[in-house]
Amino acid sequence: MTPLRAAPSVADPADRARQDLFEALTRDPASAGERSLPQLAHAARWPLPDTVLAVALAAPGELPRLTAALGDNLVGMVENRPCLLVPDPDAEARLTLESALRGRTAAVGHTVPLYDAGASLRWARRLLSLTPQSGGPEARVVFVDDHLSTLLLLQDESLARALATRWLQPLAGLTPRQSERLEETLLAWLEGGGAPEAAKALHVHPQTVRYRLRQIEKLFGPGLRDPRTRFELELALRSRRLMAQVRRHRSRMARKARGVTGSVAGTVGGMAGGRLSLGVAREARVNGL
């Protein structure tokens, strides 16, 4: 489904053409061909590049300064958030973007052919949704190129859950703590290739890892020696770990949102009720006061 776009009102025909060009380029390829991109590009005074990459920003910030630092890029709004298309990014593009976006929360898509601009934007926005939203020194820019496997595994969370359920069924009878220990040990073993490597990654004694691996072998049987099984298990374990991280991130965001709402409500209540206690203020609201 094409995301709803809320573009700012523009008086300059060239600016309006740029908005139209941005929307045409970031639609799916099938619908992008419905309009004449060369004509839009001419009206927008924006030469069509061979390749682009998308940048998704968490907040508008100082867009004029940012666009000036990045060159003649194309700006558009997607669900009230600013996004940019950077034309023909070169080998220095990453350094330029890191410098220009310092102090901001942003996600940079992968470089794609012009007519696939929507894919770069889609994955940049998806990565941004998985990135903690913060300002100041803690804000950071993330790059799709650094998180390809994560995005691939999380592109369909329902399927990822099905994969984990299918391959990690032998752990279903354990307590949550037992399952967690064996899962992290199995993943560390699969990633590292041996007990010493897994022990180092987990900061435990190699003998502890060997003991857990014997438990794992009893649960999973000889299939652990099959390369395909090991591959599927690693995918399942990585998917489950990533989904747990996403849940924690969403929980933090929800708590932050509740905190902001509570703060606003408290301020309003304080203004309306002076020094009323929280309990009295709540009772007053219930009684329509």
Side-chain angles (χ1 to χ4, degrees):
M1 179 183 295
T2 302
L4 295 176
R5 292 177 166 80
S9 60
V10 288
D12 188 338
D15 289 342
R16 178 67 262 174
R18 282 181 171 243
Q19 291 289 334
D20 292 340
L21 180 58
F22 178 90
E23 293 183 8
L25 286 172
T26 54
R27 290 191 186 103
D28 61 82
S31 61
E34 293 175 1
R35 304 182 67 177
S36 173
L37 293 180
Q39 289 180 4
L40 280 175
H42 177 74
R45 302 168 195 160
W46 198 73
L48 292 176
D50 293 324
T51 61
V52 293
L53 65 73
V55 179
L57 298 169
E62 303 170 5
L63 265 179
R65 185 187 67 82
L66 182 59
T67 54
L70 295 177
D72 189 19
N73 49 78
L74 202 61
V75 180
M77 300 293 288
V78 181
E79 295 181 351
N80 295 319
R81 285 190 172 184
C83 300
L84 298 87
L85 293 180
V86 180
D88 288 327
D90 57 20
E92 302 298 320
R94 178 163 181 145
L95 292 176
T96 302
L97 287 163
E98 287 176 338
S99 176
L101 295 168
R102 187 173 294 116
R104 302 174 183 275
T105 299
V108 179
H110 55 311
T111 300
V112 296
L114 176 65
Y115 291 92
D116 205 19
S120 184
L121 178 60
R122 180 171 65 254
W123 291 115
R125 295 184 66 241
R126 173 60 168 150
L127 181 58
L128 184 65
S129 74
L130 300 173
T131 302
Q133 308 290 303
S134 57
E138 296 182 359
R140 61 194 180 106
V141 54
V142 289
F143 292 79
V144 165
D145 282 340
D146 296 336
H147 300 276
L148 292 171
S149 60
T150 296
L151 292 168
L152 183 64
L153 289 173
L154 291 179
Q155 66 175 315
D156 189 320
E157 292 184 33
S158 176
L159 200 59
R161 284 192 294 270
L163 176 73
T165 300
R166 160 71 176 82
W167 286 99
L168 301 179
Q169 182 62 33
L171 302 174
L174 304 179
T175 66
R177 180 59 185 149
Q178 290 172 327
S179 178
E180 180 183 356
R181 279 200 301 263
L182 294 189
E183 283 184 29
E184 67 180 13
T185 301
L186 179 54
L187 182 56
W189 176 70
L190 290 167
E191 291 177 334
E197 293 80 5
K200 185 176 180 179
L202 297 173
H203 305 291
V204 298
H205 196 278
Q207 191 59 34
T208 300
V209 170
R210 293 189 182 96
Y211 170 73
R212 293 179 186 174
L213 287 174
R214 286 194 292 271
Q215 292 180 292
I216 289 169
E217 191 168 9
K218 288 180 181 178
L219 290 168
F220 287 90
L224 285 175
R225 292 189 285 273
D226 175 55
R228 179 179 177 274
T229 297
R230 290 200 298 270
F231 173 72
E232 296 277 1
L233 281 170
E234 186 170 354
L235 285 180
L237 289 163
R238 283 176 177 267
S239 297
R240 181 167 284 183
R241 182 173 65 183
L242 287 169
M243 286 188 293
Q245 292 171 354
V246 169
R247 284 195 300 272
R248 288 194 294 271
H249 170 60
R250 289 172 178 167
S251 178
R252 285 195 299 269
M253 295 299 292
R255 286 198 300 272
K256 184 180 294 186
R258 287 196 296 271
V260 170
T261 303
S263 175
V264 172
T267 301
V268 173
M271 292 172 62
R275 296 181 177 272
L276 287 175
S277 69
L278 181 61
V280 174
R282 184 181 298 113
E283 183 178 348
R285 287 194 299 272
V286 169
N287 287 282
L289 301 176

